[in-house]
């Protein structure tokens, strides 16, 4: 079932890469516009997507959505879908940032493919080396065990975090009215003390409610009334970190992955397409809301509502090459990026970091470049492009290697997780690691600090001692089609004093041959 489901997922990702190539060839044949220069990079990137899916199939991990498959899906969107949207409808200017030219944008696409190729190679090498060390046992997902941490502890801790975030009705009204100063921006939050405790505890309420819903459903008790609290927690508990839709979507996906990884159901292509369409609608809707809230606090015009503006509003979240290309002339002129800005980017998500880590990091400088002012600060700097701006082509390759190592680590933790909390934390880690091609090191680090570390730590504490002492944990037993040949008849009657069945003639044994030693010492469990 897992192999069939993985194949269905691969077909969907493969189509997301191949169909844009065909559309891009149409632009090339028609011979209109400078965007024809995108066709060759799009085709090269599609080949890399197909190659990455073959590597994922070769690794044959015991999950349907391994890290490399998710990573390839994002790369198909970034390197294939986004450029083709630009070819047909343009990049748009509704978000008021400066754009680069087509030639520089083509260079950006080539750099992105270099990042993707290096990640594929490193992930393949790590997978092959790790497979030789662990064998087939390390490729199977562990069986979930009851945690020593009760569900009510998670619910209480998460409720405390909610009270810290919304101590008064005014805080709730400010959130609902769109206080964009509290929500806008991807610059990392330098929180400390009680505020930091609230940020870390809030996501536990969602996990606790999911576990309670699952327990009630398995016991045949009423559980539908928990859907309303879950919806409120998604809005107030997770969306209150900012208008970053991935925070909400990934919390849901991680909870689904925990139980889907251990399910025997086969995934179908049509339901997956429906889920992707629903997710796309969610992204576009929140993107339009974000743009409206942002321009409402400025003197700029509100964005236009329509199919073309909606498509153009999605492009920045895939790392539009024309926006990234706007930074290339700055490298030639002044080169404001370097080791210092990169170090500040890594320091900025750490609680209590100085303000300079957020105002002079690579992300801050990049936003100043694309907006030509300090008004906007919400554009992300992908890992590989930050590596290029700070260290050149070597930085691109190192970023790809880092992404592959994060994917490998998250896959390993996900397979070994034996409690719901550790499985949930590792699923979040693989989701954020898979987004390395379209988001920054700082954002990944920030989400690991606030959303991954606490569930992983609690999962480790709640793991039963006998499971933690086992090096490989207990793996779920999969049915072996050849297992029946090794079964022996149940010895339901007393044996003869000399070790043979009294109903059987002397000198004859059903299997023939020499009696095995364990026939006289052990009996099969009933």
């Amino acid at each position: 079932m897992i192999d069939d489901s993985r194949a269905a997922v691969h077909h969907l990702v493969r189509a997301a890469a191949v169909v844009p190539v065909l559309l891009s060839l149409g632009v090339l044949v028609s011979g209109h516009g400078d965007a024809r220069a995108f066709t060759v990079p799009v085709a090269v990137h599609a080949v890399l997507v197909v190659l990455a899916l073959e590597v994922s199939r070769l690794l044959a991990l015991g999950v349907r959505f391994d890290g490399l498959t998710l990573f390839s899906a994002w790369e198909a969107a970034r390197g294939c879908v986004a450029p083709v949207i630009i070819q047909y409808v343009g990049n748009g200017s509704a978000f008021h940032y400066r754009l680069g030219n087509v030639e520089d944008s083509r260079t950006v696409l080539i750099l992105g493919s270099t990042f993707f190729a290096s990640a594929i190679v490193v992930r393949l090498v790590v997978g092959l080396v790790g497979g030789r060390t662990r064998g087939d046992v390390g490729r199977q997902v562990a069986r979930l065990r009851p945690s020593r941490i009760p569900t009510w502890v998670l619910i209480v801790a998460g409720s405390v975090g909610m009270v810290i975030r919304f101590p008064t009705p005014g805080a709730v009204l400010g959130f609902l009215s769109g206080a964009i100063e509290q929500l806008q921006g991807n610059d990392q939050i330098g929180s400390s003390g009680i505020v930091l405790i609230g940020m870390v505890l809030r996501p536990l309420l969602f996990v606790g409610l999911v576990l309670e819903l699952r327990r009630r459903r398995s016991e045949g008790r009423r559980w539908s009334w928990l859907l309303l609290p879950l919806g409120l927690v998604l809005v107030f508990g997770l969306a209150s970190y900012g208008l970053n839709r991935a925070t909400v979507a990934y919390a849901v996906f991680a909870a689904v992955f925990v139980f889907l990884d251990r399910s025997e159901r086969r995934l179908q292509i049509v339901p997956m397409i429906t889920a992707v369409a629903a997710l796309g609608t969610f992204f576009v809707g929140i993107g339009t809301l974000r743009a409206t809230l942002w321009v409402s606090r400025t003197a700029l015009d509100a964005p236009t509502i329509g199919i073309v503006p909606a498509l153009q509003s999605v492009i920045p979240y895939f790392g539009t090459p024309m926006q990234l290309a706007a930074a290339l002339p700055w490298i030639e002129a002044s080169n404001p990026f370097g080791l210092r800005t990169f170090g500040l980017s890594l320091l900025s998500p750490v609680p209590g970091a100085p303000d300079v880590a957020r105002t002079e990091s690579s992300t801050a400088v990049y936003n100043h470049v694309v907006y030509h002012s300090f008004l906007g600060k919400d554009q992300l700097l992908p890992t590989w492009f930050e590596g290029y701006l700070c260290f050149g082509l070597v930085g691109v390759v190192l970023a790809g290697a880092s992404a592959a190592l994060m994917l490998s680590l998250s896959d390993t933790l996900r397979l070994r997780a034996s409690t719901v909390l550790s499985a949930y934390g590792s699923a979040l880690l693989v989701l954020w690691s898979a987004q390395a091609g379209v988001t920054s090191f700082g954002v990944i680090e920030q989400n690991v600090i606030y959303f991954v570390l606490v569930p992983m730590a609690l999962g480790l504490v709640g793991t039963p001692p006998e499971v933690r002492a086992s090096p490989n944990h207990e793996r779920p037993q999969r049915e072996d089609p050849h297992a029946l040949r090794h079964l022996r008849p149940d010895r339901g009657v007393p044996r003869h004093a000399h070790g043979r069945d009294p109903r059987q003639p002397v000198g004859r044994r059903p299997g023939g041959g020499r009696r095995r030693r364990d026939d006289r010492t052990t009996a099969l469990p009933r």
Side-chain angles (χ1 to χ4, degrees):
M1 289 297 180
I2 290 181
D3 291 338
D4 293 340
S5 299
R6 187 189 299 112
V9 175
H10 286 182
H11 288 325
L12 187 60
V13 177
R14 195 177 292 111
V18 174
V19 172
V21 173
L22 300 178
L23 296 176
S24 184
L25 288 175
V27 174
L28 181 64
V29 172
S30 64
H32 297 293
D34 296 334
R36 291 177 299 170
F38 290 170
T39 300
V40 173
V42 167
V44 171
H45 210 79
V47 171
L48 291 176
V49 170
V50 174
L51 179 61
L53 295 178
E54 290 301 310
V55 172
S56 172
R57 187 175 64 86
L58 176 64
L59 297 178
L61 300 179
V63 291
R64 294 166 175 83
F65 297 91
D66 62 291
L68 187 57
T69 298
L70 297 172
F71 181 67
S72 301
W74 277 107
E75 287 300 305
R78 179 187 65 81
C80 299
V81 176
V84 172
I85 292 177
I86 296 175
Q87 285 182 312
Y88 276 86
V89 301
N91 193 95
S93 58
F95 286 86
H96 313 286
Y97 44 68
R98 63 170 61 187
L99 301 175
N101 56 46
V102 173
E103 189 62 30
D104 288 341
S105 301
R106 186 172 182 270
T107 301
V108 169
L109 290 175
I110 295 174
L111 292 174
S113 296
T114 304
F115 158 79
F116 191 20
S118 61
I120 295 173
V121 172
V122 174
R123 183 66 186 94
L124 175 61
V125 172
V126 173
L128 293 178
V129 174
R132 292 179 180 178
T133 303
R134 296 188 303 267
D136 293 336
V137 176
R139 299 174 186 267
Q140 303 299 326
V141 66
R143 182 167 64 91
L144 290 181
R145 299 294 193 89
S147 175
R148 296 189 298 174
I149 299 179
T151 302
W152 66 266
V153 173
L154 302 178
I155 296 178
V156 171
S159 301
V160 171
M162 291 287 287
V163 172
I164 294 175
R165 173 60 179 87
F166 299 103
T168 63
V172 178
L173 294 177
F175 170 71
L176 294 176
S177 63
I180 197 64
E181 290 83 4
Q182 302 176 17
L183 301 176
Q184 164 73 18
N186 286 312
D187 53 328
Q188 287 71 29
I189 303 172
S191 302
S192 60
I194 194 69
V195 177
L196 174 62
I197 294 176
M199 296 180 68
V200 171
L201 292 181
R202 281 208 304 278
L204 297 180
L205 180 56
F206 171 76
V207 180
L209 290 177
V210 169
L211 291 178
E212 179 64 18
L213 187 149
R214 176 174 177 263
R215 184 180 67 84
R216 287 176 170 270
R217 191 165 179 261
S218 63
E219 295 176 355
R221 301 168 59 187
R222 292 187 56 189
W223 55 270
S224 57
W225 63 272
L226 284 172
L227 295 178
L228 178 60
L230 269 175
L232 294 176
V233 169
L234 285 175
V235 174
F236 289 95
L238 298 177
S240 54
Y241 285 86
L243 286 176
N244 185 353
R245 68 229 61 190
T247 303
V248 179
Y250 282 3
V252 178
F253 287 164
V256 172
F257 281 0
V258 170
F259 307 109
L260 184 63
D261 289 345
R262 294 156 179 85
S263 172
E264 294 297 331
R265 294 184 179 181
R266 179 180 178 180
L267 297 182
Q268 303 292 334
I269 293 182
V270 174
M272 283 194 295
I273 294 177
T274 304
V276 171
L279 180 63
T281 304
F282 173 71
F283 270 62
V284 171
I286 298 297
T288 304
L289 172 63
R290 179 173 190 160
T292 304
L293 290 175
W294 187 74
V295 299
S296 66
R297 302 304 175 103
T298 67
L300 302 174
D301 296 330
T304 305
I305 305 298
I307 297 179
V308 172
L311 290 174
Q312 293 172 341
S313 69
V314 174
I315 297 176
Y317 302 100
F318 297 146
T320 166
M322 299 196 71
Q323 176 188 317
L324 297 175
L328 294 183
W330 281 63
I331 301 178
E332 301 175 358
S334 60
N335 193 16
F337 302 93
L339 180 60
R340 181 177 182 273
T341 59
F342 181 78
L344 291 177
S345 295
L346 297 181
L347 182 63
S348 58
V350 178
D355 292 337
V356 67
R358 288 175 292 277
T359 58
E360 299 183 19
S361 64
S362 297
T363 302
V365 175
Y366 171 72
N367 275 271
H368 176 61
V369 169
V370 296
Y371 284 114
H372 199 53
S373 70
F374 292 101
L375 177 64
K377 51 184 178 180
D378 63 332
Q379 297 304 309
L380 295 176
L381 185 59
T383 57
W384 55 273
F385 198 65
E386 182 177 5
Y388 178 75
L389 295 178
C390 295
F391 308 108
L393 188 59
V394 175
V396 177
V397 176
L398 292 178
S402 301
L405 293 176
M406 287 191 297
L407 293 173
S408 178
L409 174 63
S410 58
D411 281 336
T412 301
L413 293 176
R414 190 171 164 201
L415 292 173
R416 294 181 178 180
S418 57
T419 63
V420 172
L421 281 173
S422 57
Y424 175 78
S426 59
L428 279 177
L429 181 60
V430 75
L431 287 168
W432 282 108
S433 300
Q435 214 179 346
V438 296
T439 193
S440 64
F441 285 113
V443 169
I444 296 176
E445 185 181 352
Q446 176 185 351
N447 284 277
V448 169
I449 293 174
Y450 293 135
F451 297 102
V452 176
L453 288 183
V454 174
M456 291 291 290
L458 293 178
L460 180 62
V461 173
T463 302
E466 63 275 10
V467 177
R468 192 161 53 238
S470 176
N472 294 319
H473 300 323
E474 184 178 346
R475 308 291 172 180
Q477 298 296 325
R478 301 189 180 276
E479 183 177 354
D480 183 1
H482 304 291
L484 294 178
R485 69 172 60 170
H486 303 297
L487 293 181
R488 300 186 301 275
D490 187 16
R491 302 287 186 178
V493 297
R495 284 179 173 271
H496 190 271
H498 298 293
R500 65 177 178 84
D501 191 336
R503 299 174 302 180
Q504 187 174 320
V506 178
R508 296 185 59 186
R509 301 185 68 249
R514 181 178 299 176
R515 184 188 303 275
R516 295 190 303 176
R517 182 178 183 85
D518 58 356
D519 281 346
R520 301 190 302 270
T521 57
T522 59
L524 288 177
R526 295 183 181 276

